[in-house]
Amino acid sequence: MRNLFAPFRGFIAVFYKEVLHMRRDSMAIMFALIVPIGEMIILGAAVDTNVRQVKTVVYDQSGILEGTASVPGSSESRAFLDRFRNSDTFRIYKFVHSEKELNEEMIAGRARVGVEIPIDFDRDLLAHRSAQIMVMVDGSESAVAGQALNVATAIGLDESLRRMLPASTAAAIEVRPKVMFNPDSRSPNFFLPGLIAVMLLMITTMLTAFSVVREKERGTLEQLMVTPIKPLGLMMGKMMPYFVLALVELTLLLTFMRYLFSVAISGSVILLVLLSLSYLFVNLALGMLISVKANSQAEAMQSSMGILLPSIFLSGYVFPRDNMPAIFYGLSHLVPATYMIDTFRGVILRGAGFFQLWENAAVLFVMGVVVLLLAARQFGKMVV
Amino acid sequence: MSAIVTKDLTRRFGDFTAVDHVSFNVEKGEVFGLLGPNGSGKTTIIKMLTGILALSEGDAFVDGLDVRKDPEEVRLRIGYMSQKFSLYDDLTVLENLRFYGRVYGLQGRLLEEKIAKTIDRNALQPYTDRLAARLSGGWKQRLALGCAMLHDPKIMFLDEPTAGIDPVARRRLWDLLFDLSGQGITFFVTTHYMDEAERCSHLAYVYYGKLIADGTPDSLRELPEASPAGTHRFEISTREVTSALRKARALPYLKSATIFGRAIHALVDDHVTSDQIVADLAAKGVQVEEIRPLVADLEDVFVELTVRRQREIGEAVGA
Ligand SMILES: Nc1ncnc2c1ncn2[C@@H]1O[C@H](COP(=O)(O)OP(=O)(O)OP(=O)(O)O)[C@@H](O)[C@H]1O
Ligand SMILES: [Mg+2]
């Protein structure tokens, strides 16, 4: 029994000490707890990747000859523009009276979409000639541009079909889309589970990354090196309080996600927390590895950033992994957040259970053990 | 069995040899003082003996254990107080002590007993709940010593324990060291203070990584290199010490001269009298205020050894 615990000598001592450090530095701890919640509130409220209510300017020339100056356009063009409005994609905020004005609105960035309806729009329609409409899209925001083009084209096509087919006939094929798991395509449902994973990563690696390096700078690490303390004991003792802190943070974030942003958790919350444990473990171990390698707090900070960025971009948090070039897709397997985000989305959105997700947790656990052993080895190398 | 034995202890950093084949023995219960100018390798020697730095060459035994083979066991038997007192500033005195006690596996009643003993020994009672950051230098040093000795080590390594603390605290620390060494604890201490060196029972002097003197303070004072046969010393007080030193060095019978405060310590041939020196200096325009014969003190010895060494190195480079 004694020998089993020998590699962890010093664990208890370090654990108590770290808890004291945390209590003395309660500001930093509060900060660590509050920042992620702030991020969640900002992201949950502000980021909506679904393209809605794109600012649209219209230059409607049709009906000018009819001379109804009070309302622009003809009855045909107004009916058509209503379809634009009803699509939810476009928000017509202004009618202009010249092509120049239309251009100005676009160049100034006030409008993302400009619609120009020619003077003979209604007459062409009535005469069963092809009536033309110009839709200008600001390409500088590609997601918006793509969506706006698709919807505008679809409206045009639909309107054409409606006019071409006799009223009684049905379309030959009707596609009825059904979005599973996130039926309203709400952005918070997609983003917040990923955000939780990234925020947990941030606070755990950062806080631990500073912990050993701070002792190097103070000189207390040298003092510890002449005591019988073991690297694993020291590192686990330092990780444990942050582990608890991260669990508290996870609970807070899940609560905010559920009740402030109404993201329902389809699966088991307990399973979710259990599957997160190995993720917290990897991140803490990574923080340790950084800390043992770094010679200054600044260096530790940089390395933490170096871990954070790939975790954001490769994990599928922002960009879907399925669309990644093969090399990045391969690399994404090395990023712990990839597995955690998959697990989070699985449990929260798809209601997945243990048997669908245990592999993620297992991979993370193995990663954690490897990283921790690397850190311990690095620690041993400090006697040079 | 000696408390510490080194044989050709050597440490290199790249091409640079910080400690060069240093051999010495420290007996149990001794207060061993290691002296030497800045950068001469004192800290490096301590770090090798305490297992923080690996040896490049040679052997070292602490309490009979080979530090290369048995560093774990060595750690249990030694205490170390580093050059900067390594305390946790945001922990109180008591919390610092508890931490180091637990590190050595102490717990429960035993831990509290040892802490009580340490607090008592170092008179830390009034400060137990004060943050270490708020302690003054002398108290920090007492706490650091307490932390390093909580586990009753047999051998203590103290790296410049009195740097930057006031004379009273220094005196008190040394009284404590002697008290403890009387109880059989061996102390390995580095210092730059001669009065501290005088109190050591065993001294060694390192210069640029080489051990150039080793013995009791008395035996060092009588070293022939420091006080060569056919010479004696004078302390010459004068106003303009710097210009006086330059002029004195021109005297043919003067072996060496150094400034100590407002006086010059001069080593001269046996036959030269104080009157002759006063007369010769007066001829060069130096007014001697007081001159008296001097027994070599340790500082003279170390300065002499250093100067000779520098000359040897200079000759080796010149040749
Ligand atoms: N890790 C290291 N890498 C390179 N050189 C080192 C290292 N540690 C010490 N040195 C060099 O070794 C020499 C001896 O240093 P050491 O600290 O042992 O001297 P010291 O006698 O303790 O000096 P001081 O009285 O200033 O404390 C110095 O020249 C120092 O620059
Ligand atoms: Mg030193």
Side-chain angles (χ1 to χ4, degrees):
Chain A
M1 224 34 201
R2 252 198 126 79
N3 288 341
L4 198 64
F5 289 119
F8 298 99
R9 187 148 54 188
F11 170 78
I12 299 283
V14 175
F15 173 74
Y16 278 120
K17 173 178 86 75
E18 292 296 320
V19 171
L20 289 173
H21 286 319
M22 274 170 90
R23 284 209 340 228
R24 296 287 140 77
D25 199 7
S26 48
M27 278 301 288
I29 301 307
M30 286 310 289
F31 205 65
L33 286 177
I34 286 170
V35 166
I37 293 174
E39 297 261 344
M40 176 178 264
I41 290 174
I42 293 169
L43 203 78
V47 177
D48 192 345
T49 48
N50 294 326
V51 179
R52 285 197 182 113
Q53 302 287 320
V54 179
K55 285 186 289 177
T56 306
V57 63
V58 176
Y59 174 33
D60 190 350
Q61 290 164 281
S62 75
I64 280 182
L65 299 177
E66 289 159 35
T68 43
S70 55
V71 211
S74 59
S75 58
E76 291 291 343
S77 72
R78 281 194 296 272
F80 186 74
L81 287 174
D82 277 342
R83 299 226 37 197
F84 261 65
R85 284 201 186 90
N86 293 340
S87 73
D88 194 37
T89 302
F90 304 100
R91 180 168 63 83
I92 300 173
Y93 76 101
K94 191 175 187 182
F95 283 88
V96 293
H97 306 290
S98 69
E99 207 155 318
K100 187 163 159 274
E101 276 182 87
L102 186 72
N103 276 328
E104 262 171 24
E105 291 295 306
M106 295 288 290
I107 291 169
R110 286 189 288 270
R112 297 275 172 228
V113 176
V115 179
E116 186 179 342
I117 300 177
I119 200 157
D120 39 14
F121 178 73
D122 52 336
R123 269 177 288 146
D124 280 345
L125 274 182
L126 292 176
H128 297 286
R129 286 194 298 266
S130 176
Q132 288 178 349
I133 276 194
M134 183 153 79
V135 177
M136 290 180 288
V137 175
D138 176 355
S140 51
E141 278 187 52
S142 58
V144 174
Q147 174 91 353
L149 276 182
N150 285 340
V151 175
T153 315
I155 290 174
L157 201 63
D158 193 54
E159 194 66 13
S160 305
L161 280 173
R162 208 171 55 82
R163 287 171 188 275
M164 272 153 60
L165 296 169
S168 57
T169 41
I173 297 177
E174 188 187 38
V175 175
R176 288 198 169 178
K178 174 178 179 234
V179 179
M180 284 174 75
F181 310 131
N182 186 8
D184 312 329
S185 294
R186 291 182 66 229
S187 290
N189 292 13
F190 176 76
F191 262 109
L192 295 193
L195 178 78
I196 295 179
V198 171
M199 287 296 125
L200 287 176
L201 166 75
M202 193 182 79
I203 64 164
T204 47
T205 40
M206 291 255 194
L207 290 175
T208 42
F210 285 129
S211 70
V212 175
V213 106
R214 204 181 298 134
E215 296 217 27
K216 273 188 206 171
E217 289 186 347
R218 275 183 188 170
T220 45
L221 192 65
E222 187 182 298
Q223 193 72 41
L224 292 182
M225 305 274 278
V226 298
T227 68
I229 220 165
K230 287 293 178 76
L232 279 178
L234 178 70
M235 292 193 297
M236 299 283 274
K238 278 181 169 292
M239 284 159 62
M240 192 51 84
Y242 295 113
F243 189 73
V244 175
L245 184 81
L247 277 178
V248 171
E249 181 69 27
L250 174 62
T251 315
L252 283 175
L253 288 174
L254 285 176
T255 310
F256 272 76
M257 179 191 79
R258 173 68 189 83
Y259 294 104
L260 190 63
F261 294 105
S262 313
V263 177
I265 300 174
S266 318
S268 151
V269 180
I270 294 180
L271 176 70
L272 190 64
V273 173
L274 286 180
L275 290 175
S276 311
L277 298 183
S278 54
Y279 178 62
L280 299 182
F281 173 55
V282 190
N283 291 337
L284 292 166
L286 273 173
M288 268 307 145
L289 182 60
I290 290 175
S291 204
V292 175
K293 269 189 180 283
N295 290 313
S296 67
Q297 299 200 27
E299 212 175 292
M301 181 80 192
Q302 278 173 359
S303 308
S304 315
M305 282 299 161
I307 291 206
L308 198 58
L309 291 183
S311 302
I312 289 175
F313 293 120
L314 295 181
S315 62
Y317 167 51
V318 187
F319 306 119
R321 285 171 67 225
D322 296 337
N323 299 346
M324 285 176 189
I327 175 157
F328 290 121
Y329 185 78
L331 284 176
S332 75
H333 290 286
L334 297 175
V335 177
T338 301
Y339 300 92
M340 191 72 257
I341 289 178
D342 186 55
T343 302
F344 274 156
R345 286 188 183 146
V347 177
I348 295 172
L349 302 180
R350 304 197 298 271
F354 178 76
F355 292 103
Q356 281 101 29
L357 297 171
W358 70 272
E359 284 176 11
N360 284 345
V363 170
L364 288 174
F365 183 74
V366 172
M367 279 184 172
V369 171
V370 171
V371 174
L372 191 66
L373 291 178
L374 282 178
R377 212 184 63 162
Q378 185 69 28
F379 206 98
K381 278 195 205 150
M382 282 198 278
V383 181
V384 284
Chain B
M1 185 180 60
S2 304
I4 303 168
V5 179
T6 73
K7 282 200 200 97
D8 293 326
L9 187 66
T10 299
R11 174 67 206 203
R12 295 185 198 90
F13 295 109
D15 288 342
F16 172 70
T17 307
V19 176
D20 194 359
H21 294 87
V22 167
S23 307
F24 57 81
N25 279 19
V26 178
E27 298 308 320
K28 284 205 169 123
E30 274 187 336
V31 176
F32 174 78
L34 184 63
L35 287 91
N38 291 129
S40 54
K42 303 181 295 295
T43 300
T44 308
I45 290 176
I46 290 195
K47 285 187 177 174
M48 284 192 281
L49 294 176
T50 52
I52 303 174
L53 272 179
L55 285 63
S56 300
E57 210 181 293
D59 287 302
F61 299 89
V62 172
D63 203 31
L65 298 165
D66 188 337
V67 295
R68 281 177 187 276
K69 296 200 186 103
D70 220 349
E72 306 271 318
E73 189 56 35
V74 169
R75 276 176 205 163
L76 291 173
R77 302 188 190 186
I78 62 168
Y80 167 55
M81 189 166 124
S82 67
Q83 206 162 342
K84 35 181 180 177
F85 311 136
S86 308
L87 299 164
Y88 295 98
D89 279 348
D90 56 337
L91 265 51
T92 65
V93 168
L94 203 56
E95 288 163 351
N96 268 290
L97 287 168
R98 283 220 183 95
F99 171 65
Y100 281 107
R102 287 197 184 108
V103 162
Y104 284 96
L106 299 173
Q107 46 183 310
R109 256 234 329 271
L110 189 61
L111 175 64
E112 296 309 321
E113 272 170 23
K114 298 261 180 186
I115 288 177
K117 190 172 104 186
T118 305
I119 287 176
D120 190 45
R121 186 154 69 196
N122 293 282
L124 283 162
Q125 198 57 57
Y127 302 109
T128 47
D129 291 323
R130 188 177 287 199
L131 291 183
R134 304 246 164 81
L135 294 174
S136 67
W139 291 102
K140 271 194 181 145
Q141 173 233 43
R142 287 188 200 196
L143 175 57
L145 184 69
C147 289
M149 295 195 67
L150 206 60
H151 59 295
D152 293 329
K154 292 183 178 170
I155 301 169
M156 276 299 299
F157 294 88
L158 308 178
D159 197 358
E160 294 189 32
T162 55
I165 64 171
D166 68 56
V168 180
R170 272 176 53 196
R171 180 66 57 86
R172 225 202 52 89
L173 176 86
W174 277 86
D175 289 344
L176 181 63
L177 296 194
F178 278 102
D179 189 19
L180 293 168
S181 87
Q183 296 168 28
I185 300 177
T186 311
F187 284 91
F188 185 119
V189 186
T190 71
T191 180
H192 289 294
Y193 294 109
M194 286 308 138
D195 58 332
E196 293 180 358
E198 298 275 2
R199 295 186 70 173
C200 293
S201 53
H202 180 176
L203 280 179
Y205 188 75
V206 280
Y207 184 76
Y208 279 113
K210 287 215 164 66
L211 188 76
I212 58 177
D214 178 12
T216 62
D218 282 338
S219 71
L220 292 188
R221 264 192 287 269
E222 282 150 23
L223 272 184
E225 294 99 314
S227 311
T231 63
H232 60 168
R233 276 171 203 279
F234 286 104
E235 183 180 68
I236 308 164
S237 305
T238 170
R239 251 183 219 165
E240 305 270 320
V241 265
T242 2
S243 68
L245 179 71
R246 209 171 46 241
K247 287 167 183 161
R249 279 190 172 149
L251 298 174
Y253 49 76
L254 187 125
K255 298 287 178 210
S256 73
T258 344
I259 295 177
F260 280 85
R262 303 202 35 234
I264 295 168
H265 287 194
L267 184 68
V268 297
D269 285 339
D270 238 350
H271 59 85
V272 183
T273 64
S274 56
D275 291 345
Q276 188 180 347
I277 297 174
V278 173
D280 288 346
L281 283 176
K284 290 177 183 290
V286 176
Q287 205 61 44
V288 174
E289 289 176 346
E290 195 192 336
I291 183 161
R292 59 189 182 88
L294 196 69
V295 191
D297 66 13
L298 279 175
E299 186 144 359
D300 295 316
V301 175
F302 292 135
V303 169
E304 189 62 38
L305 288 174
T306 303
V307 170
R308 288 171 72 95
R309 196 77 197 191
Q310 271 167 342
R311 209 178 296 140
E312 280 169 31
I313 292 171
E315 276 162 15
V317 171

PDB file of all heavy atoms in Angstrom, chain B residues 22 34 71 88 100 153 235 282 299 304:
ATOM      1  N   VAL B  22      36.778  19.853  -6.380  1.00  0.00           N
ATOM      2  CA  VAL B  22      36.803  20.298  -4.983  1.00  0.00           C
ATOM      3  C   VAL B  22      36.647  19.090  -4.061  1.00  0.00           C
ATOM      4  O   VAL B  22      35.725  18.292  -4.225  1.00  0.00           O
ATOM      5  CB  VAL B  22      35.665  21.313  -4.730  1.00  0.00           C
ATOM      6  CG1 VAL B  22      35.471  21.538  -3.237  1.00  0.00           C
ATOM      7  CG2 VAL B  22      35.979  22.628  -5.438  1.00  0.00           C
ATOM      8  N   LEU B  34      31.791  28.039   4.263  1.00  0.00           N
ATOM      9  CA  LEU B  34      32.374  28.064   2.929  1.00  0.00           C
ATOM     10  C   LEU B  34      32.399  29.514   2.475  1.00  0.00           C
ATOM     11  O   LEU B  34      31.360  30.170   2.427  1.00  0.00           O
ATOM     12  CB  LEU B  34      31.535  27.214   1.977  1.00  0.00           C
ATOM     13  CG  LEU B  34      32.086  27.078   0.554  1.00  0.00           C
ATOM     14  CD1 LEU B  34      33.430  26.364   0.555  1.00  0.00           C
ATOM     15  CD2 LEU B  34      31.096  26.310  -0.327  1.00  0.00           C
ATOM     16  N   PRO B  71      19.689   9.907  -3.807  1.00  0.00           N
ATOM     17  CA  PRO B  71      19.269  11.282  -3.517  1.00  0.00           C
ATOM     18  C   PRO B  71      18.009  11.334  -2.653  1.00  0.00           C
ATOM     19  O   PRO B  71      17.878  12.218  -1.812  1.00  0.00           O
ATOM     20  CB  PRO B  71      19.014  11.879  -4.902  1.00  0.00           C
ATOM     21  CG  PRO B  71      18.805  10.720  -5.806  1.00  0.00           C
ATOM     22  CD  PRO B  71      19.619   9.604  -5.243  1.00  0.00           C
ATOM     23  N   TYR B  88       6.296  31.115   1.245  1.00  0.00           N
ATOM     24  CA  TYR B  88       5.103  31.510   0.513  1.00  0.00           C
ATOM     25  C   TYR B  88       4.571  32.785   1.148  1.00  0.00           C
ATOM     26  O   TYR B  88       4.078  32.768   2.276  1.00  0.00           O
ATOM     27  CB  TYR B  88       4.072  30.383   0.539  1.00  0.00           C
ATOM     28  CG  TYR B  88       4.578  29.178  -0.209  1.00  0.00           C
ATOM     29  CD1 TYR B  88       5.163  28.111   0.454  1.00  0.00           C
ATOM     30  CD2 TYR B  88       4.527  29.144  -1.601  1.00  0.00           C
ATOM     31  CE1 TYR B  88       5.662  27.023  -0.244  1.00  0.00           C
ATOM     32  CE2 TYR B  88       5.016  28.067  -2.307  1.00  0.00           C
ATOM     33  CZ  TYR B  88       5.586  27.011  -1.620  1.00  0.00           C
ATOM     34  OH  TYR B  88       6.081  25.948  -2.312  1.00  0.00           O
ATOM     35  N   TYR B 100       5.464  22.765   5.162  1.00  0.00           N
ATOM     36  CA  TYR B 100       6.736  22.039   5.105  1.00  0.00           C
ATOM     37  C   TYR B 100       6.696  20.787   5.986  1.00  0.00           C
ATOM     38  O   TYR B 100       7.297  19.767   5.642  1.00  0.00           O
ATOM     39  CB  TYR B 100       7.897  22.960   5.461  1.00  0.00           C
ATOM     40  CG  TYR B 100       8.276  23.827   4.280  1.00  0.00           C
ATOM     41  CD1 TYR B 100       7.971  25.177   4.241  1.00  0.00           C
ATOM     42  CD2 TYR B 100       8.899  23.264   3.171  1.00  0.00           C
ATOM     43  CE1 TYR B 100       8.293  25.958   3.141  1.00  0.00           C
ATOM     44  CE2 TYR B 100       9.224  24.030   2.066  1.00  0.00           C
ATOM     45  CZ  TYR B 100       8.921  25.378   2.058  1.00  0.00           C
ATOM     46  OH  TYR B 100       9.236  26.120   0.962  1.00  0.00           O
ATOM     47  N   PRO B 153      16.459  17.600  10.578  1.00  0.00           N
ATOM     48  CA  PRO B 153      17.526  17.068   9.722  1.00  0.00           C
ATOM     49  C   PRO B 153      18.827  16.936  10.509  1.00  0.00           C
ATOM     50  O   PRO B 153      19.026  17.628  11.506  1.00  0.00           O
ATOM     51  CB  PRO B 153      17.660  18.134   8.638  1.00  0.00           C
ATOM     52  CG  PRO B 153      17.183  19.396   9.272  1.00  0.00           C
ATOM     53  CD  PRO B 153      16.117  18.998  10.240  1.00  0.00           C
ATOM     54  N   GLU B 235      49.130  48.045  10.168  1.00  0.00           N
ATOM     55  CA  GLU B 235      47.941  48.788   9.752  1.00  0.00           C
ATOM     56  C   GLU B 235      48.331  50.252   9.738  1.00  0.00           C
ATOM     57  O   GLU B 235      48.759  50.799  10.757  1.00  0.00           O
ATOM     58  CB  GLU B 235      46.787  48.562  10.738  1.00  0.00           C
ATOM     59  CG  GLU B 235      45.513  49.259  10.290  1.00  0.00           C
ATOM     60  CD  GLU B 235      44.364  49.034  11.277  1.00  0.00           C
ATOM     61  OE1 GLU B 235      44.454  49.556  12.408  1.00  0.00           O
ATOM     62  OE2 GLU B 235      43.403  48.339  10.935  1.00  0.00           O
ATOM     63  N   ALA B 282      56.360  59.685   4.181  1.00  0.00           N
ATOM     64  CA  ALA B 282      56.427  61.140   4.304  1.00  0.00           C
ATOM     65  C   ALA B 282      57.214  61.716   3.136  1.00  0.00           C
ATOM     66  O   ALA B 282      56.860  62.755   2.566  1.00  0.00           O
ATOM     67  CB  ALA B 282      57.055  61.532   5.635  1.00  0.00           C
ATOM     68  N   GLU B 299      40.319  38.033   6.965  1.00  0.00           N
ATOM     69  CA  GLU B 299      40.129  38.811   5.752  1.00  0.00           C
ATOM     70  C   GLU B 299      41.466  39.004   5.039  1.00  0.00           C
ATOM     71  O   GLU B 299      41.563  38.851   3.824  1.00  0.00           O
ATOM     72  CB  GLU B 299      39.494  40.161   6.085  1.00  0.00           C
ATOM     73  CG  GLU B 299      39.150  40.944   4.851  1.00  0.00           C
ATOM     74  CD  GLU B 299      37.865  41.740   5.017  1.00  0.00           C
ATOM     75  OE1 GLU B 299      37.242  41.653   6.096  1.00  0.00           O
ATOM     76  OE2 GLU B 299      37.495  42.430   4.066  1.00  0.00           O
ATOM     77  N   GLU B 304      44.876  37.867   0.643  1.00  0.00           N
ATOM     78  CA  GLU B 304      46.214  37.447   0.233  1.00  0.00           C
ATOM     79  C   GLU B 304      46.135  36.235  -0.711  1.00  0.00           C
ATOM     80  O   GLU B 304      46.757  36.191  -1.764  1.00  0.00           O
ATOM     81  CB  GLU B 304      47.023  37.097   1.496  1.00  0.00           C
ATOM     82  CG  GLU B 304      48.501  36.855   1.261  1.00  0.00           C
ATOM     83  CD  GLU B 304      49.202  38.099   0.705  1.00  0.00           C
ATOM     84  OE1 GLU B 304      48.862  39.216   1.140  1.00  0.00           O
ATOM     85  OE2 GLU B 304      50.060  37.935  -0.172  1.00  0.00           O
TER      86      GLU B 304
END
